[in-house]
Amino acid sequence: MKTAMLALKVFRNFLRFKAGKAAPLFASFSITGRCNMRCSYCDWWRKTVPELSTAKALKVIDNVCSSGVAFFDFSGGEPLLRGDLATLAKRASSHNCLVSMNTNGTLLKSATASKIADVFDVVVVSLDGPPEIHDKIRGVAGTHLKAVETIKFLKAHGVRVGVNSVVSPWSIKALPRFIEELRSFVDFVQVQPIHPYPPPPENKPSSKEIFRLQEYLLKLKREDPGFLAVPEDFIRGFGFYFEGKAPKICHAGKLYVAIDPSGRLLACAARGDIVLGNVLEHSAAELLKGKAEGYWRFRVASCSGCWLECTVGVSMTVEKPVKETLHMAGYIRRL
């Protein structure tokens, strides 16, 4: 039943999008700003961000899911820092959404894995390379080992588990061998370049390193399109991205939206400053086509762009559904 309802949502929103209407397929809810990591390329852990009570967070989920969202993701900060995470995920699942989570994978224990497995269809664990590289980037020793343990816990309980790796000067050489090792124990892999965009000089790998990684990833995509869960054109764009010449491919507020820890609806997860309104006060549907639409669409238009799987990757998949939907098999197969 859930698979049929999910397929109906995807088809309906696809038609609405093609008709030029806002029809978000994907929503990402950052349920907390707290994080136990000290990642070198992220500043969430440096901030103090207010977050919602359980009751208000449930209201937000009901509101956004009622707009027809098919894929609902929980992120942070680190979402496992919230004790009510399973309760929130269960509510999103009740709306016949595919429910996922992005986590650093360091806080899940064997005793609580079954509780998480009961409510999440997909869990994506962040791993940026072998232990010595990953732990240095994350700023905390031992995080790679804990993340691998979490993957094993979740797999043992039947959850589809993927790994997301950030392409950076510190990880790029090790990624091909690292991804090959992952093929033996995870269901899929995502890769995306380090942000912000345009990348500052210190974030740029050499052109030779980028070419070698692209060559490996495109070969892997041809061999096992469901395992490498990003579109082929997304991979081909890495070189342009690091050169600061990436084409702007953006459907913020149309194909995807985000919610920050205080309940504000954002045009996308990449821009916390493009606020559509608060979904505790207005319906998501109203905010997407309300009086302020012209203002936030102007802000989106003036953005320099990004190259994230949850934005550009989604856009590419919908723009070329016949070519690119195979990588979604890694998400949906469990339902």
Side-chain angles (χ1 to χ4, degrees), residues 11 26 35 56 103 106 126 129 215 217 220 222 230 234 242 246 294 300 333:
F11 181 68
F26 176 82
C35 188
K56 289 184 177 180
T103 174
T106 62
S126 297
E215 200 172 37
L217 292 174
L220 175 61
R222 291 191 296 270
V230 293
F234 186 77
F242 282 112
V300 169
R333 203 176 300 158

Side-chain angles (χ1 to χ4, degrees), residues 41 124-129 134 138 162-168 171 175 178-179 182 189-194 234 238:
Y41 52 74
V124 180
V125 178
S126 297
L127 275 175
D128 292 327
H134 177 80
R138 298 286 158 175
V163 162
N164 182 68
S165 293
V166 174
V167 180
S168 70
S171 66
L175 281 178
F178 174 65
I179 292 172
L182 291 175
V189 164
Q190 299 170 332
V191 289
Q192 60 188 34
I194 187 172
F234 186 77
F238 283 8

Side-chain angles (χ1 to χ4, degrees), residues 23 77 90-91 138 143 156 168 173 241 243 245 249 266 285:
K90 187 175 181 179
R91 180 61 66 88
R138 298 286 158 175
T143 57
S168 70
K173 290 182 180 179
Y241 172 87
E243 291 174 4
K245 300 177 181 178
I249 302 171
L266 310 176

Side-chain angles (χ1 to χ4, degrees), residues 244-257:
K245 300 177 181 178
K248 185 175 178 180
I249 302 171
C250 178
H251 297 104
K254 293 182 178 180
L255 277 178
Y256 30 83
V257 292

